[in-house]
Amino acid sequence: MTAPDPFPRPAPRTSRTRLRVEILIVLALTLGQSALYSVLTLVRRLLDPRPLSEQSAQLNRPLDSAAVWDAVYRVLDVAFDLALVALVVYLLWEPGRNALRRLGLDFSRAGRDALGGLALVAVIGIPGLALYAAGRAAGITVSVVASPLDAAWWTIPLLVLSAVRAGLIEEVIVVGYLADRLSRLGWGSWSTIVSTSLLRGAYHAYQGFGAIVGNIAMGIVFGWCYRRWGRLMPLVIAHTAIDVIAFVGYPLAVMLWPGLF
């Protein structure tokens, strides 16, 4: 069975203005907004008298000091972010064409998608850790605190949920949605892949230059795989798995390599 082409033909010129406005609105509500704040954060870090290697970025911050309310707020935070994913899928929906199936965001090829996702974990995850270490050694990457060091057992499901959120919101919007919309504006597949990879690097800029380079490379690999496979599910699986390993394994990594983390 041939995979659907994730880069459709250009739309009529009369409808392209609407597409441009739609893209701007979606990015302003989602990862375009994140990219702007992230770049500004990097600028502030560079203006700080401390070198980047002595600064840190904390992910998965507690939202309340009380455990129960922290869990409630974090679940709601993820739910509202996933509502943005649902909005994008809704915008891609066309009469007679299931958007989830067209994006390859279903379970029709679960085994093959899982194998593809695990292969991407090896291709992206291991070099990514090496790049982080090199960036820390070169002083161009901040110390990323992926999760609290004193996390209780019930924090793990919340971290997994955060990883799922990241995998869905980034791959559906940056890869799936923009591949469709930019192609309809007449962009070629590689100009789309490169531009969305630059966006991915931009919204990780707050972590330093090593993260920018690593995420641009990740975007190019993921964009190429989406072009070849026509399915988002392997990318979501890979992204989620990488983040689960990073979030849940962070305390162990600090214990084993305190100088790096």
Side-chain angles (χ1 to χ4, degrees), residues 115-143:
L115 289 175
L118 292 177
L120 285 174
V121 171
V123 170
I124 296 296
I126 297 173
L129 181 59
L131 183 61
Y132 175 76
R136 294 286 294 143
I140 60 173
T141 301
V142 305
S143 174

PDB file of all heavy atoms in Angstrom, residues 115-143:
ATOM      1  N   LEU A 115       8.379   0.346  15.203  1.00  0.00           N
ATOM      2  CA  LEU A 115       9.753   0.043  14.795  1.00  0.00           C
ATOM      3  C   LEU A 115      10.433   1.280  14.222  1.00  0.00           C
ATOM      4  O   LEU A 115      11.600   1.564  14.513  1.00  0.00           O
ATOM      5  CB  LEU A 115       9.764  -1.092  13.770  1.00  0.00           C
ATOM      6  CG  LEU A 115       9.407  -2.489  14.305  1.00  0.00           C
ATOM      7  CD1 LEU A 115       9.334  -3.488  13.151  1.00  0.00           C
ATOM      8  CD2 LEU A 115      10.433  -2.950  15.339  1.00  0.00           C
ATOM      9  N   GLY A 116       9.706   2.024  13.400  1.00  0.00           N
ATOM     10  CA  GLY A 116      10.257   3.257  12.848  1.00  0.00           C
ATOM     11  C   GLY A 116      10.568   4.268  13.929  1.00  0.00           C
ATOM     12  O   GLY A 116      11.604   4.940  13.896  1.00  0.00           O
ATOM     13  N   GLY A 117       9.665   4.371  14.912  1.00  0.00           N
ATOM     14  CA  GLY A 117       9.888   5.296  16.021  1.00  0.00           C
ATOM     15  C   GLY A 117      11.105   4.933  16.841  1.00  0.00           C
ATOM     16  O   GLY A 117      11.916   5.792  17.205  1.00  0.00           O
ATOM     17  N   LEU A 118      11.267   3.633  17.129  1.00  0.00           N
ATOM     18  CA  LEU A 118      12.423   3.187  17.912  1.00  0.00           C
ATOM     19  C   LEU A 118      13.724   3.401  17.142  1.00  0.00           C
ATOM     20  O   LEU A 118      14.761   3.734  17.733  1.00  0.00           O
ATOM     21  CB  LEU A 118      12.257   1.720  18.289  1.00  0.00           C
ATOM     22  CG  LEU A 118      11.128   1.417  19.282  1.00  0.00           C
ATOM     23  CD1 LEU A 118      11.016  -0.083  19.511  1.00  0.00           C
ATOM     24  CD2 LEU A 118      11.355   2.148  20.605  1.00  0.00           C
ATOM     25  N   ALA A 119      13.687   3.223  15.817  1.00  0.00           N
ATOM     26  CA  ALA A 119      14.875   3.489  15.009  1.00  0.00           C
ATOM     27  C   ALA A 119      15.251   4.969  15.089  1.00  0.00           C
ATOM     28  O   ALA A 119      16.438   5.308  15.193  1.00  0.00           O
ATOM     29  CB  ALA A 119      14.625   3.078  13.559  1.00  0.00           C
ATOM     30  N   LEU A 120      14.256   5.836  15.078  1.00  0.00           N
ATOM     31  CA  LEU A 120      14.529   7.271  15.182  1.00  0.00           C
ATOM     32  C   LEU A 120      15.067   7.642  16.556  1.00  0.00           C
ATOM     33  O   LEU A 120      15.881   8.570  16.680  1.00  0.00           O
ATOM     34  CB  LEU A 120      13.255   8.065  14.877  1.00  0.00           C
ATOM     35  CG  LEU A 120      12.860   8.131  13.401  1.00  0.00           C
ATOM     36  CD1 LEU A 120      11.499   8.809  13.255  1.00  0.00           C
ATOM     37  CD2 LEU A 120      13.905   8.875  12.602  1.00  0.00           C
ATOM     38  N   VAL A 121      14.618   6.934  17.601  1.00  0.00           N
ATOM     39  CA  VAL A 121      15.169   7.180  18.934  1.00  0.00           C
ATOM     40  C   VAL A 121      16.673   6.943  18.929  1.00  0.00           C
ATOM     41  O   VAL A 121      17.461   7.728  19.477  1.00  0.00           O
ATOM     42  CB  VAL A 121      14.483   6.274  19.987  1.00  0.00           C
ATOM     43  CG1 VAL A 121      15.214   6.365  21.322  1.00  0.00           C
ATOM     44  CG2 VAL A 121      13.027   6.671  20.166  1.00  0.00           C
ATOM     45  N   ALA A 122      17.102   5.856  18.281  1.00  0.00           N
ATOM     46  CA  ALA A 122      18.530   5.554  18.206  1.00  0.00           C
ATOM     47  C   ALA A 122      19.274   6.578  17.358  1.00  0.00           C
ATOM     48  O   ALA A 122      20.365   7.031  17.715  1.00  0.00           O
ATOM     49  CB  ALA A 122      18.737   4.150  17.642  1.00  0.00           C
ATOM     50  N   VAL A 123      18.657   6.968  16.237  1.00  0.00           N
ATOM     51  CA  VAL A 123      19.324   7.900  15.311  1.00  0.00           C
ATOM     52  C   VAL A 123      19.411   9.302  15.899  1.00  0.00           C
ATOM     53  O   VAL A 123      20.417  10.004  15.708  1.00  0.00           O
ATOM     54  CB  VAL A 123      18.569   7.929  13.964  1.00  0.00           C
ATOM     55  CG1 VAL A 123      19.073   9.064  13.076  1.00  0.00           C
ATOM     56  CG2 VAL A 123      18.714   6.594  13.251  1.00  0.00           C
ATOM     57  N   ILE A 124      18.375   9.729  16.628  1.00  0.00           N
ATOM     58  CA  ILE A 124      18.321  11.097  17.156  1.00  0.00           C
ATOM     59  C   ILE A 124      18.751  11.165  18.612  1.00  0.00           C
ATOM     60  O   ILE A 124      19.505  12.064  19.018  1.00  0.00           O
ATOM     61  CB  ILE A 124      16.890  11.664  17.017  1.00  0.00           C
ATOM     62  CG1 ILE A 124      16.508  11.782  15.546  1.00  0.00           C
ATOM     63  CG2 ILE A 124      16.767  13.014  17.708  1.00  0.00           C
ATOM     64  CD1 ILE A 124      17.340  12.762  14.754  1.00  0.00           C
ATOM     65  N   GLY A 125      18.290  10.219  19.429  1.00  0.00           N
ATOM     66  CA  GLY A 125      18.508  10.306  20.870  1.00  0.00           C
ATOM     67  C   GLY A 125      19.958  10.213  21.287  1.00  0.00           C
ATOM     68  O   GLY A 125      20.453  11.043  22.059  1.00  0.00           O
ATOM     69  N   ILE A 126      20.690   9.229  20.785  1.00  0.00           N
ATOM     70  CA  ILE A 126      22.083   9.035  21.193  1.00  0.00           C
ATOM     71  C   ILE A 126      22.978  10.180  20.716  1.00  0.00           C
ATOM     72  O   ILE A 126      23.716  10.769  21.516  1.00  0.00           O
ATOM     73  CB  ILE A 126      22.598   7.667  20.696  1.00  0.00           C
ATOM     74  CG1 ILE A 126      21.795   6.541  21.360  1.00  0.00           C
ATOM     75  CG2 ILE A 126      24.083   7.506  20.992  1.00  0.00           C
ATOM     76  CD1 ILE A 126      22.095   5.161  20.811  1.00  0.00           C
ATOM     77  N   PRO A 127      22.920  10.564  19.419  1.00  0.00           N
ATOM     78  CA  PRO A 127      23.701  11.734  19.006  1.00  0.00           C
ATOM     79  C   PRO A 127      23.276  13.014  19.718  1.00  0.00           C
ATOM     80  O   PRO A 127      24.093  13.895  19.973  1.00  0.00           O
ATOM     81  CB  PRO A 127      23.429  11.830  17.504  1.00  0.00           C
ATOM     82  CG  PRO A 127      23.025  10.457  17.100  1.00  0.00           C
ATOM     83  CD  PRO A 127      22.274   9.907  18.268  1.00  0.00           C
ATOM     84  N   GLY A 128      21.987  13.110  20.053  1.00  0.00           N
ATOM     85  CA  GLY A 128      21.509  14.291  20.763  1.00  0.00           C
ATOM     86  C   GLY A 128      22.143  14.426  22.130  1.00  0.00           C
ATOM     87  O   GLY A 128      22.503  15.535  22.561  1.00  0.00           O
ATOM     88  N   LEU A 129      22.285  13.300  22.843  1.00  0.00           N
ATOM     89  CA  LEU A 129      22.952  13.327  24.147  1.00  0.00           C
ATOM     90  C   LEU A 129      24.417  13.718  23.990  1.00  0.00           C
ATOM     91  O   LEU A 129      24.948  14.509  24.779  1.00  0.00           O
ATOM     92  CB  LEU A 129      22.844  11.951  24.806  1.00  0.00           C
ATOM     93  CG  LEU A 129      23.478  11.804  26.196  1.00  0.00           C
ATOM     94  CD1 LEU A 129      22.852  12.773  27.184  1.00  0.00           C
ATOM     95  CD2 LEU A 129      23.337  10.366  26.685  1.00  0.00           C
ATOM     96  N   ALA A 130      25.073  13.187  22.942  1.00  0.00           N
ATOM     97  CA  ALA A 130      26.471  13.536  22.691  1.00  0.00           C
ATOM     98  C   ALA A 130      26.611  15.023  22.356  1.00  0.00           C
ATOM     99  O   ALA A 130      27.565  15.686  22.814  1.00  0.00           O
ATOM    100  CB  ALA A 130      27.020  12.681  21.551  1.00  0.00           C
ATOM    101  N   LEU A 131      25.658  15.568  21.588  1.00  0.00           N
ATOM    102  CA  LEU A 131      25.705  16.982  21.239  1.00  0.00           C
ATOM    103  C   LEU A 131      25.488  17.851  22.474  1.00  0.00           C
ATOM    104  O   LEU A 131      26.122  18.903  22.622  1.00  0.00           O
ATOM    105  CB  LEU A 131      24.650  17.294  20.178  1.00  0.00           C
ATOM    106  CG  LEU A 131      24.622  18.725  19.644  1.00  0.00           C
ATOM    107  CD1 LEU A 131      25.952  19.069  18.972  1.00  0.00           C
ATOM    108  CD2 LEU A 131      23.473  18.895  18.651  1.00  0.00           C
ATOM    109  N   TYR A 132      24.590  17.408  23.358  1.00  0.00           N
ATOM    110  CA  TYR A 132      24.369  18.150  24.603  1.00  0.00           C
ATOM    111  C   TYR A 132      25.649  18.184  25.428  1.00  0.00           C
ATOM    112  O   TYR A 132      26.046  19.231  25.952  1.00  0.00           O
ATOM    113  CB  TYR A 132      23.237  17.502  25.401  1.00  0.00           C
ATOM    114  CG  TYR A 132      23.018  18.123  26.759  1.00  0.00           C
ATOM    115  CD1 TYR A 132      22.371  19.346  26.897  1.00  0.00           C
ATOM    116  CD2 TYR A 132      23.475  17.497  27.920  1.00  0.00           C
ATOM    117  CE1 TYR A 132      22.173  19.923  28.147  1.00  0.00           C
ATOM    118  CE2 TYR A 132      23.283  18.057  29.169  1.00  0.00           C
ATOM    119  CZ  TYR A 132      22.629  19.268  29.275  1.00  0.00           C
ATOM    120  OH  TYR A 132      22.443  19.837  30.513  1.00  0.00           O
ATOM    121  N   ALA A 133      26.319  17.033  25.533  1.00  0.00           N
ATOM    122  CA  ALA A 133      27.573  16.969  26.286  1.00  0.00           C
ATOM    123  C   ALA A 133      28.634  17.874  25.664  1.00  0.00           C
ATOM    124  O   ALA A 133      29.357  18.588  26.365  1.00  0.00           O
ATOM    125  CB  ALA A 133      28.077  15.531  26.347  1.00  0.00           C
ATOM    126  N   ALA A 134      28.719  17.859  24.319  1.00  0.00           N
ATOM    127  CA  ALA A 134      29.698  18.699  23.631  1.00  0.00           C
ATOM    128  C   ALA A 134      29.374  20.178  23.835  1.00  0.00           C
ATOM    129  O   ALA A 134      30.279  21.000  24.046  1.00  0.00           O
ATOM    130  CB  ALA A 134      29.716  18.352  22.141  1.00  0.00           C
ATOM    131  N   GLY A 135      28.077  20.508  23.790  1.00  0.00           N
ATOM    132  CA  GLY A 135      27.677  21.895  24.001  1.00  0.00           C
ATOM    133  C   GLY A 135      27.980  22.383  25.408  1.00  0.00           C
ATOM    134  O   GLY A 135      28.407  23.520  25.610  1.00  0.00           O
ATOM    135  N   ARG A 136      27.779  21.500  26.381  1.00  0.00           N
ATOM    136  CA  ARG A 136      28.101  21.856  27.765  1.00  0.00           C
ATOM    137  C   ARG A 136      29.613  22.047  27.926  1.00  0.00           C
ATOM    138  O   ARG A 136      30.073  22.974  28.576  1.00  0.00           O
ATOM    139  CB  ARG A 136      27.611  20.763  28.715  1.00  0.00           C
ATOM    140  CG  ARG A 136      26.107  20.615  28.779  1.00  0.00           C
ATOM    141  CD  ARG A 136      25.443  21.753  29.548  1.00  0.00           C
ATOM    142  NE  ARG A 136      25.835  21.696  30.956  1.00  0.00           N
ATOM    143  CZ  ARG A 136      26.061  22.783  31.709  1.00  0.00           C
ATOM    144  NH1 ARG A 136      25.947  23.985  31.178  1.00  0.00           N
ATOM    145  NH2 ARG A 136      26.388  22.649  32.974  1.00  0.00           N
ATOM    146  N   ALA A 137      30.390  21.162  27.299  1.00  0.00           N
ATOM    147  CA  ALA A 137      31.853  21.264  27.397  1.00  0.00           C
ATOM    148  C   ALA A 137      32.358  22.530  26.719  1.00  0.00           C
ATOM    149  O   ALA A 137      33.314  23.167  27.191  1.00  0.00           O
ATOM    150  CB  ALA A 137      32.497  20.032  26.773  1.00  0.00           C
ATOM    151  N   ALA A 138      31.710  22.927  25.602  1.00  0.00           N
ATOM    152  CA  ALA A 138      32.123  24.120  24.871  1.00  0.00           C
ATOM    153  C   ALA A 138      31.568  25.401  25.470  1.00  0.00           C
ATOM    154  O   ALA A 138      31.936  26.500  25.047  1.00  0.00           O
ATOM    155  CB  ALA A 138      31.692  23.998  23.412  1.00  0.00           C
ATOM    156  N   GLY A 139      30.650  25.275  26.439  1.00  0.00           N
ATOM    157  CA  GLY A 139      30.083  26.455  27.092  1.00  0.00           C
ATOM    158  C   GLY A 139      29.026  27.170  26.283  1.00  0.00           C
ATOM    159  O   GLY A 139      28.746  28.345  26.530  1.00  0.00           O
ATOM    160  N   ILE A 140      28.389  26.467  25.318  1.00  0.00           N
ATOM    161  CA  ILE A 140      27.384  27.118  24.472  1.00  0.00           C
ATOM    162  C   ILE A 140      25.981  26.583  24.737  1.00  0.00           C
ATOM    163  O   ILE A 140      25.035  26.939  24.036  1.00  0.00           O
ATOM    164  CB  ILE A 140      27.724  26.953  22.981  1.00  0.00           C
ATOM    165  CG1 ILE A 140      27.779  25.470  22.593  1.00  0.00           C
ATOM    166  CG2 ILE A 140      29.031  27.648  22.643  1.00  0.00           C
ATOM    167  CD1 ILE A 140      27.939  25.231  21.102  1.00  0.00           C
ATOM    168  N   THR A 141      25.851  25.704  25.736  1.00  0.00           N
ATOM    169  CA  THR A 141      24.555  25.114  26.080  1.00  0.00           C
ATOM    170  C   THR A 141      24.340  25.245  27.575  1.00  0.00           C
ATOM    171  O   THR A 141      25.252  25.005  28.365  1.00  0.00           O
ATOM    172  CB  THR A 141      24.500  23.621  25.683  1.00  0.00           C
ATOM    173  OG1 THR A 141      24.719  23.514  24.270  1.00  0.00           O
ATOM    174  CG2 THR A 141      23.162  22.997  26.032  1.00  0.00           C
ATOM    175  N   VAL A 142      23.112  25.638  27.960  1.00  0.00           N
ATOM    176  CA  VAL A 142      22.819  25.794  29.378  1.00  0.00           C
ATOM    177  C   VAL A 142      22.561  24.423  29.998  1.00  0.00           C
ATOM    178  O   VAL A 142      22.335  23.430  29.293  1.00  0.00           O
ATOM    179  CB  VAL A 142      21.593  26.713  29.593  1.00  0.00           C
ATOM    180  CG1 VAL A 142      21.795  28.054  28.900  1.00  0.00           C
ATOM    181  CG2 VAL A 142      20.307  26.051  29.110  1.00  0.00           C
ATOM    182  N   SER A 143      22.589  24.358  31.307  1.00  0.00           N
ATOM    183  CA  SER A 143      22.247  23.130  32.016  1.00  0.00           C
ATOM    184  C   SER A 143      20.729  22.973  32.008  1.00  0.00           C
ATOM    185  O   SER A 143      19.998  23.833  32.503  1.00  0.00           O
ATOM    186  CB  SER A 143      22.759  23.203  33.460  1.00  0.00           C
ATOM    187  OG  SER A 143      22.315  22.086  34.204  1.00  0.00           O
TER     188      SER A 143
END
